[in-house]
Amino acid sequence: MKITNLGTSTQASFYVATALYKQMLHKKESKLGLATGGTMLDMYESLVTLLDKNQLDVSQVETFNLDEYIGLTAEHPASYHQYMNHILFDQYEGFDPLKCHLPNGAAEDPECEAARYESLLDERGPVDIQILGIGQNGHIGFNEPGTPFDSVTHCVDLTESTIEANSRYFDDKADVPKQAISMGLRSIMKAKRIILLAFGEQKKEAITQLATGNITPDVPATILHLHPNVEVYVDDAAMPDLS
Ligand code: PGA
């Protein structure tokens, strides 16, 4: 696994947006594994610019998001459905809503919904590129420390640190959902190519853990060492001191 410092988050975001753009350019029916979170905002903005300038046909592209909060409807402003609409699907015309998948956080039976989502991934996958952020505690998706490496899409109890980190998207910390449906670590590892992005001082410790090469469920992202095709892009602030 190569960790590459691309200097600024703007440069890294543009680089990764270009990778997604090229993937869709070369394969009309590309399958993309998408992530949400603050880290991804510039990347999607750059992607929309590239799509716009080149008027790429994305009608055959199929997308699969990593996760969704349990208890939020797709219309809730803090749901990941709304995040994706706002940042990508409403920004560039042509994505087919029927091909843009996220777990349904408002499903009556979340366990059943998790199983449905995993079956969908199995039927329609594997994804060509999976984009990932990383939590300060090393989580990927909502796979918190201790998540088994063989986990598939499942319901997750969010850790206090994740609830705290995500409270910035809610009016009140008490409104942050305590659970989510997340692709599991095994689901993520099925992707053909994985690109992880991490920016800022607050991600440096997690990237340092990743850089040690140790593989442990205590730092879920370290499972990526077992995947043959992973790229990690960081900015100056998130780059570990390797000396
Ligand atoms: P962030 O979240 O991009 O908002 O920091 C990343 C993550 O928790 O995976």
Side-chain angles (χ1 to χ4, degrees), residues 26-65:
H26 296 307
K27 185 176 162 195
K28 289 264 164 280
E29 65 293 346
S30 283
K31 297 174 199 292
L32 306 179
L34 299 181
T36 52
T39 308
M40 301 297 152
L41 293 171
D42 281 357
M43 192 279 289
Y44 288 122
E45 217 173 283
S46 294
L47 180 59
V48 168
T49 303
L50 286 169
L51 293 172
D52 245 344
K53 282 191 187 297
N54 297 285
Q55 287 301 300
L56 190 71
D57 173 14
V58 294
S59 60
Q60 304 301 311
V61 171
E62 194 156 13
T63 67
F64 300 87
N65 265 80

Side-chain angles (χ1 to χ4, degrees), residues 36-39 133-135 139 141 168-169 203:
T36 52
T39 308
I134 186 169
H139 75 204
R168 66 192 193 276
Y169 300 112
K203 299 294 171 70

Side-chain angles (χ1 to χ4, degrees), residues 93 96 110 142 149 197 203 220:
E93 216 168 301
D96 178 352
F142 272 132
F149 279 178
L197 274 174
K203 299 294 171 70

